[in-house]
Amino acid sequence: MGEAEVKSSLVRAVAISAATTSKFLSLSPSFQHCALTYWIRKNIKKKECYFYEKGAREGFCQCGYPKTHHVDKAIKPPEDLTGESWNRHIHICEEHTDAFGDISFGGLGQKTGKYVRVSADASPEVLYQLLTEQWKLTPPNLLISVTGGAKNFYLRAHLKSMFHRGLIKVAQTTGAWILTGGTHAGVMKHVGQAVRDYALSSSSTQGNEIVAIGMATWGTVHNRKVLVHPEGCFPADYSLDVQGQGRLSCLDNNHSHFLLVDDGTHGRYGVEIELRSRLEKLISQQPLGNRDNGVTIPVVCVVLDGGPGTLNTIFNAMLNGTPCVILEGSGRIADVIAQVTGLPVTRVTIALIHQLMKKFFGSEYDTFSDLRIIEWTKKIQDIIRMPHLLTVFRISEDKHEDVDVAILQALLKASKNSESLGRESWERQLELAVAWNRVDIAETEIFTEESQWKSSDLQQAMFSALVGHKHEFVRLLLENGVSLKQFFQDESTLCELYNQLPGCFFLRKLAKRLQKVQKLYARGHAVTPQGTNISMTHVSDEVRHLLGSFTRPIYPPATTRYHVNMSLEDTSVSVTKGQEDPHAPDREGMGDAFRDPGRDLFLWAVLQNKKELAEIAWQQCRDCMSAALAASKILKKLAQEESDGDEAEEMTALANDYERHAIGVFSECHSCDEERAQKLLVRVSPSWGRTTCLRLSLEADDKNFVAHSGVQALLTQIWCGELSVDNPVWRVLICMLFFPLIYTGFLAFRRDELIHREAERSEEIITMETVTGSSIRRKSDILKPLRSSHLEPLSSWSKLTGLYGSPQVKFYWSIVSYFAFLFLFAVVLMIDFQDTPSWTEVLLYIWLVSLVCEEVRQLFRDPDGFGFRKKARLYINDLWNILDVLSIVLFIIGLTCRLITELFYAGKVILCIDFIVFCLRLMAIFTISRTLGPKIIIVRRMMMDMFFFMFLLSIWVVAYGVAKQGILIHNENRLDWIVRGAVYEPYLIIFGNVPTNIDNTVFDMTTCSMNGTDPLKPKCPVLNENQMPAFPEWLTIIMLCIYLLFANILLLNLLIAIFNFTFQEVQDNTDRIWKFQRYELIKEYHSRPTAPPPLIILSHLYLFIIHVVLRRPPLKFKEFKNELPQTEEEELLSWEALMKDNYLLSTRQEQSQSMERRILDTAQKVTTITELLEQDEDAGSAAVMKRLARLEEQVTQSAKALQWIMDSLKSQGHPANEPPLLTSAVTSESESRETRGKASERDKARFHVNARAFHYPDSKVTRFPVPEEKVPWEVSFTSYMPLFYASEDSGDQVDGAETEDLDNYRNPGGRTGVRGRGALSKLGPNLNIDLVLTRWRDSERSALEFLAVWDESQAVWALPGGPVQSDELLPVTLQEIMGKQLYKKIHAKVVDGTKVFEGYVDDCRNTDNAWVETTVLNIHLDRLGLMVDINHMVASSHGSAEAVHWQEVSSKTLLRSHQSDALRRVAVLHNRKF
């Protein structure tokens, strides 16, 4: 198998993602246009009329288009079409679309969108593919379908503002698509204005644009000719012409995408409705987010204004389960529905709807017929029967802060009352809230007191929030009980998070590394490793590369056949098979004891450079200080390798933030307990590669952290060793020369100070206990004396070794030794440099050998585990080490030349130069000085500035020198004099050495040689016939003046200015830099042997024998790396976590007290007060208008009542008409919304509902609308004209069919809207029997269960049963499910069953003359006999179409409505809670 065939799919996917998202590899616009054109012409169609038939208007076809719009074949149809009438289903055909591309509206902002002309019969799948794949729209988390008035209507200013703000907010925060009609009128215009306001008020980039999709009818679009081009328009210039549009409509210039639906006709509105409905349904079936968790994209319908067509849209949407939000106050049908929402259905009468229609529709009401009012009344009643799908936004109510909250709450309410009951419903709501990224909705609607969440219930939402980088939700979920330990209990969860990484820099690095691994593996193996997912081993290796090879892998190595060794550089990747990394810890050692889930989450966030997520995760880390320093190191390493400058800056800024976090936590620790704080610096961190905080800060170049006083105190303590840090230097120097003084107390030791401090502490505690009479010692106070009780005064030998083993004393002896070496070197060079080396010279050579041995020891000693390559790189990067190597190399070269007779003097010269280098190396002794150390740093920076300045100066020097030399001297061929004249002399001029050969007045012929024959004199200038210099004196003098002006005045002053700037810039940081560099010197002398050179060679010999010959491991010093016991480790980390909390608390307090926060809070309060005042003003005026309207209505009704009284009196006892009600038909505002929303159970169950559904099941029959008040037969309903329907007649529908049989049967439940027997088998009652077979789940009777059969047609569980004849005890259909034998056994037990219910059932198949009556029988089974056979049947039915299963008797079980009621009765029968 070839290498290309077995490439990892992960690597390919990441490579493609990197290529497509890269700024440099993006495809050209022309190529994208060509690809889009090809795809659209292949998949998208339009419709054209191919048969011209003269219409009502002259020169126009029946399709509405003029004759000239048709092709010749349509105008001159073939002979077989002669005499045929025009039919849009036959004569309109599909063709390739010719209108697509970009549409530019011009004007302010140059708004540009995308458009396409599509057939009305287009597949919604193709349209969705066009939107997401070709137009590159991100799949939505919510679809907002805005509908309502298609004509312009008035919206009150406050409602308009709230609608605009709320619609844009919900679209922006949730990533929603807004779907409208797309024209510049009515509700579509309001949506466009909302999008425009958002675009003008925000500096939104392309990624934050609002997606507003307009679906308009192509045949009604004004000025559509500019959109037509066979190859697409990129762009098409479209202008709004509202004045000249006539009956047509202009496209709205604020929508971003247009789907122009074409059915081949012109001027016919509403063509897009069916395709829009199908597209909405398809989108609602798409999975939400990246994971297929069963949650689909939610759809919500927002209604403003609207007429009868809008009512049909609302009704059909709610029948499909789509929640609707009605904006009260927007007008017409929206206000009608808003007025009756919350009323009992029985109070929503035809008369009430008449009054409301007249009130809100005005003059349009006169065009409505009574039959249409009846139909609308029935639809409005059905709408308010679904309160979980209906939400009315009222400005006067405070429960909705804005329209966006109302929209999202409507979706959550629909989800809460959907078929998925119980915990699944809550989890679906949470998934929706996470997808929308609306923490406010989750806090108020989901995480309430009644919802009790477990950590396991929130893990799916936590994963979605992490993948979507929704940090606010991550914080909310953590606050509400998510346990990171449980969340990351399975390593696959963390692996899945890494596999879901976006196209970030870390993922590209990982993919590149894996490609190298596969290539290297393929060279030595026939088959490459098959891996499609990222494993934690890959992550661990890459993180180890970022942290440094001195760390251990943070995740245990996987048991795979290949492993990536990341200890080398990027260009060096090795693959090992069948062996583990020697630096990798065991799996047991990396078990749960060191597993920190907070660390895992924090690392995952940091690698993506996600600041907010990383901040939340850092707060969950146990080892927070190490985590912050590790993050600083990782981010700075990524920033160095990142080519994108902006992202690199973000990484560097985030790295600095975590350095500040580390400093803040350490400051809290140091101020509380210095000893514990110092332990935190040098303790081994198992979670971060078994390194230390101090090492991480040094590797991350965190100078501010290292410069902290607590870190410097630790370094000073290490520098002094066993000696006290308070000892004056002069005392140490005296004791170095006369050590017996240490036994007299002349020099203080740290051990003595600790003992004295603990003794004073104990005495103080005892004194306090004696005075107070109570024990005040805490556990920690008791433990400290116990821990220090074993500390005893140092012995005499220990004091001696403590003195001379101190790094401070080693350093002083080294200085003395180095001065002695330089003195000996000077004596040899100036006094005793003989042909045969003297004893002093031999001693010098031995001294140098000891220095060489020490440098070799420093190079190869690697206590941190860096590896030789990095150790060598660190060694060379140090300036003082470079001087050491240079001095040693020069000494070796000089010594070699000195031993050769011919090169004796040259060897001495080289040794003299080498002496200069050794003297420069002497400056290193000042680095430990707090005063002179920073000054050396300034000198080094100035030397760098001067080095670059010399390039600028050399331009002027060479330019003047060459010009002067060429003018004065003719054909000089001596190289030394050429360099002297062109470079050396111009350089001396800068320092005041003015030349004499450029001026005739001071020229002396004796100072030069005519032909250049004298090697000690320069060649004379060119002479004239008078034997005088011929050069133009005026030119040379002017050149000198200009040269002096620029070189002496300009450039030298520039150099001074540069030095001054460098000094000012570095001065503030020199102390910090010095403290950072001080560490290396301290560490060097801490590990250095005690004896100074040349005696140190004896120590080197000892170390060679011990470590090389005897192979003993080197000693580990706890001063820089201390591994604590597990108990002490846990105690220290707990204390660190407490200090971290204190730091975070103080940080929040500082932020809350900052000036910026106060300004923001004040601005927010002012905005809130302004909105409340506007809302109160608008609500107050609206309330006054409503009160006046009610008063006017009451006066009118009073007049009618008086008129009725007068008429009754005049009739002298004749019966009169029923007086009108004196109370308003519209419920007054004083009646509370809660009272209106509470309909009694009697009202809910008064009449059948399913039997009056508009659409009769499994047919195209539409019932006659029967409002609630007209259901009883006793109520007169003169306009009632139901259709006749019988399924066996296959479409026989006769209005008002009358037969003798029908008159004999009348539905006891009332009118249904259909006559005949419908889909039932006979007229009159159709008997059904449902069996409730129950059992106890176990012997303890923990739950009551019943046998349920899966109903595939309705996708619900059902009770086993079916239709029966009057003489049958069981339905025959039961035999098909249970088999003959089991059927007979159940048949025998029917007589023992308990009748639970018997009577009329509200079935959707019921008609006026045929209905369903059901008998429900409960047969309880014991654990033997029949139940054994049923259990066997249940087990064998799994996977079949007719699955049978035991279900718990509970309200959460999904059943048909009447069967759920029967199940409730069974629960009561067995004393069980339903």
Side-chain angles (χ1 to χ4, degrees), residues 204-465:
S204 58
T205 59
Q206 185 177 359
N208 294 326
E209 289 183 353
I210 300 298
V211 178
I213 304 173
M215 291 191 69
T217 302
W218 169 262
T220 62
V221 176
H222 178 60
N223 194 22
R224 60 180 177 272
K225 290 183 180 180
V226 299
L227 304 178
V228 178
H229 193 283
E231 299 300 325
C233 298
F234 301 96
D237 294 322
Y238 185 89
S239 59
L240 291 177
D241 184 16
V242 180
Q243 301 297 329
Q245 66 183 6
R247 294 179 59 252
L248 302 180
S249 300
C250 292
L251 296 177
D252 185 73
N253 59 341
N254 294 301
H255 282 63
S256 59
H257 301 79
F258 294 93
L259 298 176
L260 306 178
V261 185
D262 183 18
D263 70 339
T265 64
H266 169 77
R268 181 169 170 260
Y269 282 91
V271 171
E272 81 285 355
I273 293 177
E274 182 182 354
L275 182 59
R276 176 175 172 177
S277 177
R278 288 190 284 126
L279 179 60
E280 290 176 358
K281 184 176 181 180
L282 174 73
I283 294 176
S284 67
Q285 296 171 350
Q286 303 303 312
L288 179 65
N290 299 326
R291 304 188 83 195
D292 188 8
N293 50 18
V295 181
T296 56
I297 298 175
V299 180
V300 63
C301 181
V302 180
V303 182
L304 286 83
D305 191 70
T310 302
L311 178 61
N312 294 333
T313 302
I314 299 172
F315 179 71
N316 293 327
M318 295 181 69
L319 286 181
N320 293 328
T322 300
C324 294
V325 178
I326 311 294
L327 267 69
E328 185 185 39
S330 58
R332 299 202 296 171
I333 199 65
D335 283 351
V336 172
I337 297 177
Q339 287 294 321
V340 301
T341 300
L343 287 176
V345 178
T346 54
R347 297 181 60 180
V348 182
T349 61
I350 299 175
L352 176 60
I353 299 301
H354 268 286
Q355 293 182 22
L356 293 176
M357 286 287 184
K358 184 177 181 179
K359 176 181 179 181
F360 293 110
F361 279 81
S363 59
E364 190 179 357
Y365 167 76
D366 298 332
T367 62
F368 300 154
S369 63
D370 291 339
L371 188 59
R372 296 186 69 186
I373 295 292
I374 292 174
E375 178 186 352
W376 298 339
T377 303
K378 174 65 171 65
K379 288 185 176 180
I380 292 174
Q381 289 176 352
D382 290 345
I383 287 173
I384 65 176
R385 276 196 181 93
M386 297 179 279
H388 62 286
L389 296 177
L390 182 63
T391 300
V392 177
F393 176 77
R394 295 184 172 93
I395 300 181
S396 58
E397 294 185 358
D398 296 332
K399 63 181 180 180
H400 295 319
E401 298 179 357
D402 216 333
V403 176
D404 64 305
V405 180
I407 293 174
L408 299 180
Q409 285 181 340
L411 287 162
L412 293 181
K413 183 170 66 173
S415 173
K416 187 183 302 183
N417 292 273
S418 64
E419 294 179 351
S420 55
L421 301 176
R423 179 59 59 185
E424 295 179 1
S425 174
W426 287 105
E427 292 177 357
R428 172 179 167 80
Q429 293 181 57
L430 185 57
E431 281 291 333
L432 291 177
V434 172
W436 301 333
N437 196 22
R438 291 300 297 263
V439 179
D440 55 336
I441 298 296
E443 289 177 339
T444 57
E445 300 294 328
I446 299 176
F447 292 106
T448 58
E449 294 181 359
E450 62 182 22
S451 59
Q452 300 296 328
W453 292 93
K454 298 179 181 177
S455 177
S456 57
D457 299 331
L458 300 175
Q459 290 186 5
Q460 177 62 43
M462 183 70 171
F463 188 92
S464 301

Side-chain angles (χ1 to χ4, degrees), residues 1026-1050:
N1026 298 325
Q1027 296 299 313
M1028 293 296 293
F1031 61 84
E1033 183 179 2
W1034 62 271
L1035 179 61
T1036 55
I1037 293 176
I1038 291 177
M1039 287 175 55
L1040 178 63
C1041 293
I1042 294 175
Y1043 174 69
L1044 290 175
L1045 178 65
F1046 278 91
N1048 276 37
I1049 299 178
L1050 180 63

Side-chain angles (χ1 to χ4, degrees), residues 1148-1199:
R1148 294 191 192 100
Q1149 291 176 349
E1150 290 178 2
Q1151 292 177 352
S1152 63
Q1153 298 297 325
S1154 63
M1155 185 60 67
E1156 292 81 1
R1157 174 62 63 180
R1158 291 183 178 181
I1159 293 174
L1160 290 176
D1161 292 343
T1162 304
Q1164 185 176 3
K1165 291 177 182 178
V1166 171
T1167 304
T1168 303
I1169 293 173
T1170 304
E1171 291 179 353
L1172 290 176
L1173 290 176
E1174 292 178 355
Q1175 182 176 348
D1176 291 342
E1177 181 181 358
D1178 196 6
S1181 60
V1184 170
M1185 293 300 296
K1186 288 181 179 180
R1187 289 181 180 181
L1188 291 175
R1190 287 199 304 273
L1191 181 60
E1192 182 181 358
E1193 187 177 3
Q1194 291 288 347
V1195 170
T1196 303
Q1197 292 181 359
S1198 299

Side-chain angles (χ1 to χ4, degrees), residues 637-657:
K637 182 70 173 179
L638 288 173
Q640 291 176 2
E641 300 177 359
E642 174 62 270
S643 58
D644 188 348
D646 294 338
E647 189 171 353
E649 288 182 4
E650 292 178 1
M651 292 179 179
T652 304
L654 187 57
N656 295 333
D657 287 342

